[in-house]
Amino acid sequence: NTLLVANEISNKHRIADVYAAFGFLYNLMSNLPEAQKYCYKALKMAEEMKYKECMVMANSNLGSVNLSLGNNAEALKYYSIALEMAKQIGYVSQIAANYHNVAIIYHYENKHETSIQNFFEALEINQATGNRLWEAYNNNSIGAVIYEEHSNPKEALKYFNASTEILKEIGEKKELI
């Protein structure tokens, strides 16, 4: 429905946003071919219009699709493009999100120091902007890396506890661990 209305009023920015959203949703539903199709449509339209915000989202979504496909190198490529572009335009929430995404890839690639640096970058931004849910996710991820890679349960517990406290404060019911 949203896509039909956007088509009718010739709002190409909105159409590109809808395509990016469809790509994200199809990825969540594990329909990766459809996710890729819509992400590429969004990216192509956004590039034609030089619509940077949508280019960030489409690249980030393509990173997520490639991560789901097990293509870590491609995922890192798309996340890195999204991160750099988000920095250029000051898209703060996407800077933090893509630092987190890049950190996940580095963790999978056993580049743990680089991973943790990126998680801390994301955490710092989310603390500064008051994004408490993502602050909890970042703390949880930092705790996991410290526990798994540094065998330091005491230090890891500090981050796990911070995550749990934030989730309680904001009323989030699900556990991250």
Side-chain angles (χ1 to χ4, degrees), residues 22-142:
F22 283 176
F24 176 79
L25 293 172
Y26 277 117
N27 187 42
L28 288 178
M29 295 185 296
S30 298
N31 187 338
L32 302 179
E34 285 296 302
Q36 275 186 315
K37 177 177 92 175
Y38 280 104
C39 289
Y40 282 125
K41 281 183 167 190
L43 185 57
K44 183 177 185 237
M45 283 188 79
E47 286 174 343
E48 288 170 359
M49 297 180 289
K50 297 179 178 28
Y51 178 23
K52 301 257 186 190
E53 290 83 357
C54 188
M55 290 165 65
V56 169
M57 294 305 299
N59 277 294
S60 185
N61 290 347
L62 283 164
S64 296
V65 170
N66 278 283
L67 181 61
S68 296
L69 290 167
N71 300 333
N72 291 357
E74 281 294 296
L76 181 59
K77 178 184 95 172
Y78 284 111
Y79 287 146
S80 296
I81 291 168
L83 175 59
E84 289 310 309
M85 192 170 290
K87 286 178 182 179
Q88 289 171 9
I89 62 172
Y91 196 166
V92 178
S93 64
Q94 284 301 305
I95 296 169
N98 283 290
Y99 268 126
H100 188 92
N101 294 337
V102 165
I104 290 168
I105 300 296
Y106 283 127
H107 178 65
Y108 290 162
E109 299 294 320
N110 295 316
K111 296 177 181 173
H112 305 297
E113 291 308 312
T114 305
S115 172
I116 208 154
Q117 289 170 353
N118 280 277
F119 279 131
F120 274 116
E121 290 285 348
L123 176 62
E124 185 178 311
I125 292 167
N126 286 318
Q127 287 172 329
T129 60
N131 189 336
R132 303 289 283 158
L133 181 60
W134 273 97
E135 185 181 341
Y137 290 152
N138 299 145
N139 273 298
N140 189 71
S141 296
I142 291 166

